[in-house]
Amino acid sequence: MHLARQQGVRISPAESMDALQAAQAVGLDSPNLLRESMAMTLAKTIEEEAICKACFDQFFLQQTSDGQTEHNASSSEDKTTLDDQQQLAEVLASDEKTQELVDQSDFIQALLQQDQAEVDAQMAEALGTLPLKQLSFFTQKGLFTRRLLDALGEAPIRQTLAELAEDNPAKHALKDVQEAMQAQAKQAIERAFELNAAGQHDQLMAELLRKTKLSAVERRHAERLQGLIQKLARKLTQKHRKRPKKTRRGQLHMIKTLRRGIANDGVMFDTFWRRTERRKPQIMAVCDVSGSVSAYAKFLLMLLYYLQDVLPRTRSFAFAHDLGEITSLFQQHPVEKAIEIANWRYGGATDYGSSLDKFWDIAGQDITKQTTVIILGDARNNYGDHRFERLLEISERCRRIIWLNPEGKNQWGSGDSEMLRYQRVCHLAHECNTLGQLETIVDNLITLVR
């Protein structure tokens, strides 16, 4: 369950108790039955069920299969290996120092006797002395392997090797024992890292991706980033889905309530509320899909698409050299394909002036005081006509304009940037170039428009 939690499965204490009761009911004789029962009690979605089964295989069956593989591999060479180990033990016994070392170490004796069960028991006891919860990075493997070897008693071996002469056969035999011990320790740390640090590594990667500029995210992390956006959308959906009913009730209509209470000697059995009909808000997202900003536009559009359950009516527009509405693309294609088509249709050199005019022509009549216009772009107009007055008209007609700029504020107004000019009529202007900033802005946006 700890491993499943690290992989992102939400497991409550009650579900943990259910899983233990299920394990007690089905017993430990059938691994497949136990695996299915654990997945059924812990998983809430199909994805979590797959993760739970993979964690079960990783924790229980991989060790068994590894041991079985090693056993099968070793069984074909049993006789040779046994003879080699006997010869190794005889060579070690020929020297007083190495024999004393063997007598003092249970782990070396288990290695020489090919007693894998005892080796595993000694290894588990040594691992128990290490703070494996701190094993979070692959760069720590070497350090933890060294500490495990010390716990297994490798230090006396190194000292004895330094004291023995080079032509002493016992020295070469002791080196073979040392190499076998190091191989066992390295394998144990590798497995401990997979079990204890894999989930932490994923969490660390997710945190790094949240703080990395979206344009700088490498292509190999695209799938992981898309998963993060879906997870973020689920989180925001759960947060904003519920609304208190009292906000819809309105204010008490005292006059009407008192008038109706006259017939009951002033007792107000019936209450009346002033209900104000609220017009549904809408969002218009206008995204620059030119080369320098397309990565940010892609993730904003993707996030807005995944938040359809909690966001009001949302219309999406894309522009660069031309502007067009892409709302229907999300209804006809998967979100990734829709964004790809939008980039292909409207990408190119950015012209904010003509794009604002085109936006006014397409959606100007639909803009009301319930409309929130979100513009995502760097405001770099290639020294063209900025058409500031058109943005002013839009701001006077809509409820608010929120401008998200992927550039740092110190770059606003530099070169061909019209950001300082456009900012004057924006209700909010934010720097937005990471997934963490995008989460904060969209979270505040949902609160404002609902």
Side-chain angles (χ1 to χ4, degrees), residues 261-299:
I262 293 175
N264 303 316
D265 293 334
V267 180
M268 295 180 286
F269 287 111
D270 301 317
T271 56
F272 296 89
W273 303 88
R274 296 181 187 274
R275 298 181 184 275
T276 55
E277 184 179 353
R278 295 182 58 188
R279 299 184 62 181
K280 291 184 177 179
Q282 69 171 344
I283 290 176
M284 292 186 179
V286 186
C287 298
D288 183 353
V289 293
S290 61
S292 58
V293 197
S294 60
Y296 306 96
K298 173 183 176 181
F299 292 113

Side-chain angles (χ1 to χ4, degrees), residues 181 209 219 324 369 393 399 413 417 448:
M181 179 184 290
L209 287 176
R219 182 169 297 181
K369 285 300 179 184
E393 287 184 80
R399 184 171 186 179
S417 174
L448 286 173

Side-chain angles (χ1 to χ4, degrees), residues 251-262 264 266-273:
Q251 293 181 337
L252 181 65
H253 195 317
M254 284 301 300
I255 298 175
K256 194 172 182 179
T257 301
L258 289 172
R259 186 182 298 126
R260 180 60 63 89
I262 293 175
N264 303 316
V267 180
M268 295 180 286
F269 287 111
D270 301 317
T271 56
F272 296 89
W273 303 88

Side-chain angles (χ1 to χ4, degrees), residues 43-108:
K44 272 80 69 180
T45 63
I46 296 177
E47 291 79 11
E48 289 186 353
E49 181 180 357
I51 294 174
C52 287
K53 289 181 178 178
C55 291
F56 185 92
D57 294 343
Q58 184 181 359
F59 191 84
F60 292 105
L61 302 185
Q62 182 178 345
Q63 186 177 17
T64 305
S65 61
D66 290 347
Q68 188 66 33
T69 303
E70 291 175 1
H71 176 72
N72 292 337
S74 62
S75 61
S76 60
E77 302 174 353
D78 268 352
K79 188 173 184 305
T80 304
T81 305
L82 188 59
D83 292 341
D84 291 343
Q85 295 303 110
Q86 288 177 349
Q87 292 177 3
L88 201 63
E90 291 174 359
V91 174
L92 290 172
S94 64
D95 188 274
E96 183 178 352
K97 291 182 178 178
T98 55
Q99 181 58 43
E100 183 180 357
L101 193 61
V102 171
D103 293 339
Q104 293 175 352
S105 173
D106 294 336
F107 187 80
I108 296 177

